[in-house]
């Protein structure tokens, strides 16, 4: 097994990664797992089940199997988790400013829409600014797109010229 030969596909992490906060929490959990591997004699599977939420431990074990990671080799598992962490760090981040604090269903719908547009999993960095009144401001790849009502109200119209 060589991690340099295969890059972890983060799209399988969609259930766990929607926002930059999710990514930060996930990466902290991965780091905690990596630290635990050499603090105890327990196997990788036991550590995963003890330290990670059940569904996530099951998911990481399944993903490791797909990548042919030998779970009995703690160094290999640790390298695999670090590769996941690196892949998360390299994900595209879309900054999204909204006038209101969005509900989870809206955030998930936005992630799905951006995934369709960019054909890859993206992380949303969501902030709230009530001064935009409605709409959104989107920043991606250094580009700024203002679709706010505030901008529309501030723009001179042809009638005012």
């Amino acid at each position: 097994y060589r991690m340099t030969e295969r890059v972890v596909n983060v799209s399988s992490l969609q259930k766990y990664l929607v926002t930059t906060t999710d990514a930060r929490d996930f990466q902290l959990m991965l780091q905690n797992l990596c630290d635990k591997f050499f603090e105890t004699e327990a196997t990788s599977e036991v550590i995963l089940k003890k330290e990670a939420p059940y569904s996530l431990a099951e998911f990481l074990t399944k993903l490791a199997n797909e990548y042919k990671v030998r779970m009995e080799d703690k160094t290999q598992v640790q390298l695999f988790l670090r590769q996941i962490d690196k892949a998360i760090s390299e994900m595209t981040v879309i900054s999204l400013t909204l006038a209101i604090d969005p509900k989870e269903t809206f955030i998930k719908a936005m992630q799905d829409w951006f995934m369709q547009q960019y054909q890859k999993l993206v992380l949303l960095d969501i902030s709230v600014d009530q001064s935009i009144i409605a709409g959104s401001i989107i920043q991606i790849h250094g580009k700024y797109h203002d679709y706010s009502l505030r901008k529309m109200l501030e723009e001179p119209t042809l009638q005012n010229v």
Side-chain angles (χ1 to χ4, degrees):
Y1 171 78
R2 294 185 179 196
M3 278 308 300
T4 54
E5 294 173 7
R6 288 183 77 182
V7 175
V8 175
N9 180 355
V10 291
S11 63
S12 60
L13 300 172
Q14 181 178 5
K15 176 180 175 183
Y16 303 99
L17 302 176
V18 178
T19 67
T20 52
T21 301
D22 297 337
R24 237 182 339 270
D25 292 347
F26 197 91
Q27 288 176 301
L28 285 171
M29 190 266 319
L30 290 175
Q31 183 58 53
N32 181 52
L33 287 171
C34 286
D35 293 345
K36 296 283 182 192
F37 284 140
F38 295 101
E39 291 176 5
T40 177
E41 293 296 316
T43 66
S44 298
E45 288 101 339
V46 169
I47 293 168
L48 275 172
K49 288 178 181 171
K50 182 178 177 190
E51 300 294 331
Y54 176 79
S55 64
L56 182 58
E58 291 294 310
F59 170 78
L60 288 173
T61 301
K62 181 180 172 196
L63 189 63
N65 288 333
E66 288 174 19
Y67 281 87
K68 310 263 188 278
V69 175
R70 289 180 308 142
M71 292 301 286
E72 62 276 2
D73 183 341
K74 287 183 179 181
T75 302
Q76 207 175 91
V77 175
Q78 187 180 47
L79 182 61
F80 178 67
L81 295 178
R82 287 199 172 128
Q83 192 66 26
I84 293 172
D85 180 69
K86 182 177 185 277
I88 292 169
S89 295
E90 295 171 353
M91 289 177 67
T92 299
V93 175
I94 298 175
S95 295
L96 187 61
T97 303
L98 303 167
I100 59 168
D101 197 11
K103 294 182 178 172
E104 184 179 347
T105 53
F106 177 81
I107 294 170
K108 190 69 180 122
M110 290 303 298
Q111 184 194 40
D112 291 345
W113 186 84
F114 281 114
M115 272 187 67
Q116 288 177 346
Q117 301 306 305
Y118 293 99
Q119 300 298 307
K120 62 182 177 181
L121 184 64
V122 298
L123 293 172
L124 300 178
D125 184 14
I126 298 172
S127 60
V128 176
D129 179 356
Q130 294 177 345
S131 74
I132 71 170
I133 306 169
S136 65
I137 298 171
I138 302 168
Q139 294 179 56
I140 181 168
H141 301 302
K143 294 183 181 171
Y144 180 88
H145 307 279
D146 190 340
Y147 303 106
S148 69
L149 182 56
R150 176 182 66 195
K151 180 185 177 202
M152 290 180 211
L153 294 173
E154 290 173 351
E155 287 182 348
T157 62
L158 292 176
Q159 296 170 349
N160 296 339
V161 177

